[in-house]
Amino acid sequence: MSAKPFHSIHAHGLVRVGACTPLGTVGDPAANADATITLARQGHEAGADLLVFPELNLTSYAIDDLHVQDALIEATEAGLARLVEASAKLSPVLCVGAALRRNGRLYNCAVAVHRGRILGVVPKTFLPNYREYYEKRWFASGMGLTGLDIRVAGQIAPFGTDLIFAAKDYRDFVFHMEICEDFWAATPPSTMGALAGATILTNLSASNIVIGKARERAMLCAAQSSRATAAYVYSATGPGESTTDVSWDGQGMVFELGDELAQSERFDLATEIVLVDVDVARIALERARMGTFNDAARAAGDPEARFRRIGFAHASEHRDIGLIRPVRRYPFVPNTEHALDEDCYEAFNIQVEALRKRLAATGTRRLVVGVSGGLDSTHALLVAAKAFDRMGRPRTDILGFTMPGFATGEATKAQAWDLMNALGITGAEIDITPAARQMLGDMKHPFASGEPVHDITFENVQAGLRTDYLFRLANQREGMVLGTGDLSELALGWCTYGVGDQMSHYAVNAGVPKTLIQHLIRWEVRTGQYDAATAEVLERILATEISPELVPPGADGQVQSTESIIGPYALHDFFLHHIARGGQKPSKVAFLAMHAWGDASRGVWPAEMPEEAKGSYDLPTIARWLAKFLDRFFRTSQFKRSAIPNGPKVSGGGALSPRGDWRAPSDGTSRLWLDELRAGLPEGTLD
């Protein structure tokens, strides 16, 4: 068994964080301490590693001149002492807010507490003194305070704005604390915290609510988590604070690399912890590949050297506590209809504009496209038609060729013709079977003698002839061959090298994953990009089984199925995103896939996903196809990607061009990744 069991989030670089909204009591630190301890215990039971409370949650925020009452200050310190004592038996680190005095001044502070110890105290840097805020009336700024200590709650703890907190026994679990106004500033302190090594940025906030402010907070959280390449945990004051002149909504949020992971119910009278698992390993990998992050640290004078790194023992039991995190089944396909529409609009127009530019730059008179009646060639043809429309050129200059072979079905051939006719391009048909028979006969292949041998040679003779015809037709007709193969096929090497579908003059689909293409075609139908006749054909194409149609149907009449051979594209696109773009370990990808695909009834499906497509996969199935993906991706297919023609990058998830996102040796091995997968999975999963 692995020292870090497969089902533990901590085996995969995840940290469970919580944004806490306790019920406040105005100016009563004892009651506020009780509320904090109650939520801290709830977080402990839920397996939290880090809990973030609102600004001044122990003291109370909206109490004006009561802040400088000695009795209140002492009550706050007493409440903090009780919280520290209670934390001794709790596992999470607690980030709590309190007004604390030091050297004759009162500071608005964030206090990190863990297992009976005050890890450190960070004073607020930027004190608002405008609109409804008058913090400079009561508090001193922590600006420039570094290298200091504070005596509080019977302990001496580090004090200053130069603190980050790091788990001694859990790599990449490093956090920073800032307070409310700090992240409204032009130079948020958390930026330096991130450059010093913090992967989780926290904000203890009061922030009263007015119309539109919740959106502003979310925007700032998203922006800071993206710009600082980090997770951002934000907790704003909720019910119980004084509403003398303002009101509070209790907004808790967690963002990671610009994406919202969780948000609380606002204006809720119940106390609440918004729990979610943030991926600190992913954040660290993103920083490693993003040279700009390191350059920013150097430009800032290497903040790591100026920060004190306060250690604490994480001591995770590596038990199975589930996964609290949205994991998209289709990482290339948004779950919401609005986001899907936006992505499809952008993807389609990226392709159209890329092709338009290539046609204009080369002065190509005609475009040659092989039209099979399947998804990829259909989408490429739709892009071509729109590019010609945009250039004001007749679609008749698009030359579509359907080239039936030994296994071409009448339905797909009819769809190819119906699509070409509906779009008004110049269509033609070339039967490749005579040429294929001649070639197979010249090679003395068994099929030429009547034997039913349908091996890879039999398949590639047909695939190669189709591409050979297209190139010679392009020579003859003063044209350019438009590639139709997609990103998923390139990842798996599911394309015939050289004189085959791996080659073209311009690979317009090379940046589009298979799982997105069907949604692009649906979007083109739904938004009326083409007329009703074209839309009707497209609906039929969408309902057709994905098949290379190179091997004749079996005795049962079953057509050759691509996914039965290489596995489900839904899983392979999931693997592609997390391994090629994310750089994640295979065992972690299997863990995430298990949570994404294990139960079809859980989670959100992309809009317009057909019910019959909403399936699930168990862990052994996921592991089997992941092993297949790893071997094809790392060992057998890179030489094909190293020689692919130009084509536009479409998805932020990455592309596989050797001139862009992915550069790798063609003679590599998959052993390292397969060994890691086997070692990380539960015993017997990949037998």
Side-chain angles (χ1 to χ4, degrees), residues 38 89 128 157 192 553:
T38 298
K89 297 181 179 180
M192 291 299 112

Side-chain angles (χ1 to χ4, degrees), residues 517-665:
I517 282 183
Q518 60 180 303
H519 291 280
L520 282 166
I521 295 174
R522 288 194 183 95
W523 174 84
E524 288 153 9
V525 171
R526 186 176 67 254
T527 58
Q529 300 295 317
Y530 302 95
D531 61 21
T534 303
E536 188 276 328
V537 180
L538 295 178
E539 293 285 4
R540 282 190 277 132
I541 291 171
L542 284 166
T544 302
E545 168 86 35
I546 299 173
S547 172
E549 292 194 320
L550 294 170
V551 174
D556 58 358
Q558 195 71 26
V559 300
Q560 184 183 20
S561 169
T562 297
E563 292 185 301
S564 67
I565 301 169
I566 60 170
Y569 277 115
L571 285 180
H572 286 313
D573 280 359
F574 186 95
F575 304 152
L576 172 64
H577 175 82
H578 289 283
I579 288 172
R581 174 64 180 87
Q584 307 280 11
K585 293 185 296 186
S587 62
K588 179 176 181 177
V589 176
F591 173 80
L592 294 173
M594 178 188 71
H595 282 280
W597 285 100
D599 185 348
S601 66
R602 296 180 60 187
V604 180
W605 289 87
E608 298 186 341
M609 177 64 66
E611 285 300 318
E612 62 272 17
K614 296 181 179 179
S616 61
Y617 303 99
D618 60 18
L619 182 58
T621 301
I622 289 167
R624 175 165 59 93
W625 290 121
L626 178 53
K628 172 80 77 172
F629 175 88
L630 294 170
D631 194 48
R632 294 189 71 105
F633 185 77
F634 287 106
R635 184 178 67 86
T636 67
S637 303
Q638 180 57 41
F639 76 98
K640 296 180 181 181
R641 296 188 291 269
S642 295
I644 61 173
N646 298 161
K649 177 178 177 178
V650 173
S651 170
L656 294 175
S657 167
R659 299 168 294 277
D661 282 11
W662 184 256
R663 305 176 192 193

Side-chain angles (χ1 to χ4, degrees), residues 85-114:
E85 182 180 4
S87 75
K89 297 181 179 180
L90 304 178
S91 57
V93 179
L94 311 176
C95 300
V96 299
L100 301 177
R101 53 190 165 188
R102 183 188 181 282
N103 196 26
R105 300 177 182 87
L106 189 66
Y107 295 94
N108 181 343
C109 298
V111 186
V113 176
H114 187 238

Side-chain angles (χ1 to χ4, degrees), residues 411-465:
T412 51
K413 187 171 78 168
Q415 285 170 183
W417 268 112
D418 290 346
L419 181 62
M420 291 189 290
N421 290 332
L423 287 172
I425 71 166
T426 301
E429 182 173 318
I430 298 175
D431 184 351
I432 65 166
T433 55
R437 287 186 190 279
Q438 178 67 44
M439 182 177 287
L440 290 166
D442 292 343
M443 296 170 64
K444 295 181 171 50
H445 188 277
F447 179 82
S449 302
E451 297 183 42
V453 177
H454 305 134
D455 56 11
I456 191 67
T457 303
F458 174 81
E459 294 189 40
N460 280 348
V461 161
Q462 298 171 77
L465 278 171

Side-chain angles (χ1 to χ4, degrees), residues 160 212 229 314 416:
T229 318
H314 178 254

Side-chain angles (χ1 to χ4, degrees), residues 34-176:
D34 289 339
T36 303
I37 291 168
T38 298
L39 278 185
R41 287 173 176 157
Q42 290 179 19
H44 169 80
E45 293 299 321
D49 301 301
L50 178 67
L51 296 176
V52 180
F53 289 83
E55 179 180 14
L56 296 177
N57 69 291
L58 293 179
T59 304
S60 293
Y61 182 84
I63 55 175
D64 299 327
D65 289 347
L66 299 187
H67 280 301
V68 288
Q69 288 287 309
D70 201 31
L72 187 85
I73 296 170
E74 289 190 356
T76 297
E77 293 173 354
L80 177 60
R82 278 202 305 115
L83 174 65
V84 171
E85 182 180 4
S87 75
K89 297 181 179 180
L90 304 178
S91 57
V93 179
L94 311 176
C95 300
V96 299
L100 301 177
R101 53 190 165 188
R102 183 188 181 282
N103 196 26
R105 300 177 182 87
L106 189 66
Y107 295 94
N108 181 343
C109 298
V111 186
V113 176
H114 187 238
R115 293 192 180 276
R117 172 186 165 209
I118 298 177
L119 299 177
V121 179
V122 177
K124 188 173 183 177
T125 297
F126 296 99
L127 302 178
N129 224 52
Y130 57 94
R131 298 195 187 102
E132 61 268 39
Y133 301 109
Y134 303 99
E135 288 192 31
K136 290 184 179 180
R137 181 180 174 98
W138 313 296
F139 303 123
S141 168
M143 191 178 299
L145 296 182
T146 61
L148 303 174
D149 292 328
I150 185 172
R151 181 184 295 275
V152 64
Q155 298 187 21
I156 297 177
F159 177 89
T161 56
D162 58 341
L163 304 181
I164 57 173
F165 305 87
K168 298 175 182 176
D169 49 357
Y170 192 25
R171 190 180 65 192
D172 304 324
F173 180 10
V174 187
F175 72 91
H176 174 272

Side-chain angles (χ1 to χ4, degrees), residues 86-422:
S87 75
K89 297 181 179 180
L90 304 178
S91 57
V93 179
L94 311 176
C95 300
V96 299
L100 301 177
R101 53 190 165 188
R102 183 188 181 282
N103 196 26
R105 300 177 182 87
L106 189 66
Y107 295 94
N108 181 343
C109 298
V111 186
V113 176
H114 187 238
R115 293 192 180 276
R117 172 186 165 209
I118 298 177
L119 299 177
V121 179
V122 177
K124 188 173 183 177
T125 297
F126 296 99
L127 302 178
N129 224 52
Y130 57 94
R131 298 195 187 102
E132 61 268 39
Y133 301 109
Y134 303 99
E135 288 192 31
K136 290 184 179 180
R137 181 180 174 98
W138 313 296
F139 303 123
S141 168
M143 191 178 299
L145 296 182
T146 61
L148 303 174
D149 292 328
I150 185 172
R151 181 184 295 275
V152 64
Q155 298 187 21
I156 297 177
F159 177 89
T161 56
D162 58 341
L163 304 181
I164 57 173
F165 305 87
K168 298 175 182 176
D169 49 357
Y170 192 25
R171 190 180 65 192
D172 304 324
F173 180 10
V174 187
F175 72 91
H176 174 272
M177 299 187 296
E178 65 184 0
I179 304 169
C180 199
E181 184 76 8
D182 286 347
F183 96 140
W184 263 277
T187 53
S190 58
T191 299
M192 291 299 112
L195 295 176
T199 55
I200 303 174
L201 312 177
T202 70
N203 190 305
L204 295 74
S205 181
S207 184
N208 69 291
I209 186 63
V210 293
I211 294 171
K213 197 172 187 181
R215 292 192 298 272
E216 182 182 13
R217 296 177 191 141
M219 176 271 293
L220 288 170
C221 288
Q224 188 64 349
S225 69
S226 180
R227 185 180 296 110
T229 318
Y232 201 94
V233 187
Y234 180 90
S235 178
T237 294
E241 274 287 359
S242 170
T243 57
T244 299
D245 286 305
V246 292
S247 191
W248 317 88
D249 63 335
Q251 187 174 21
M253 298 176 286
V254 183
F255 282 75
E256 180 182 300
L257 301 177
D259 294 328
E260 181 185 311
L261 298 186
Q263 187 156 180
S264 67
E265 289 290 332
R266 298 167 55 225
F267 302 105
D268 191 347
L269 292 179
T271 60
E272 184 179 8
I273 306 177
V274 177
L275 290 167
V276 72
D277 300 328
V278 301
D279 195 339
V280 293
R282 175 191 177 217
I283 290 166
L285 282 168
E286 190 67 15
R287 289 179 176 180
R289 69 165 53 86
M290 186 180 176
T292 301
F293 185 87
N294 180 67
D295 291 344
R298 297 302 305 274
D302 290 320
E304 183 179 6
R306 304 194 300 271
F307 271 73
R308 287 178 285 172
R309 195 178 182 97
I310 310 302
F312 61 93
H314 178 254
S316 168
E317 299 174 12
H318 291 296
R319 56 192 174 94
D320 182 2
I321 57 174
L323 179 69
I324 307 175
R325 178 182 176 85
V327 183
R328 281 164 54 179
R329 293 179 175 90
Y330 294 92
F332 295 104
V333 183
N335 289 330
T336 66
E337 186 173 346
H338 175 70
L340 181 59
D341 277 352
E342 287 186 346
D343 281 16
C344 287
Y345 166 82
E346 288 188 335
F348 183 63
N349 281 284
I350 287 168
Q351 292 180 272
V352 170
E353 174 56 24
L355 180 57
R356 184 207 64 77
K357 174 62 178 177
R358 178 52 56 94
L359 290 167
T362 57
T364 300
R365 295 186 61 185
R366 297 178 183 88
L367 196 62
V368 175
V369 188
V371 185
S372 69
L375 290 174
D376 290 348
S377 67
T378 293
H379 181 61
L381 185 54
L382 293 170
V383 170
K386 189 64 71 173
F388 271 67
D389 292 350
R390 193 167 290 179
M391 297 174 73
R393 292 177 54 181
R395 292 184 184 177
T396 50
D397 282 346
I398 302 172
L399 312 181
F401 292 89
T402 181
M403 292 176 281
F406 296 117
T408 300
E410 289 301 318
T412 51
K413 187 171 78 168
Q415 285 170 183
W417 268 112
D418 290 346
L419 181 62
M420 291 189 290
N421 290 332

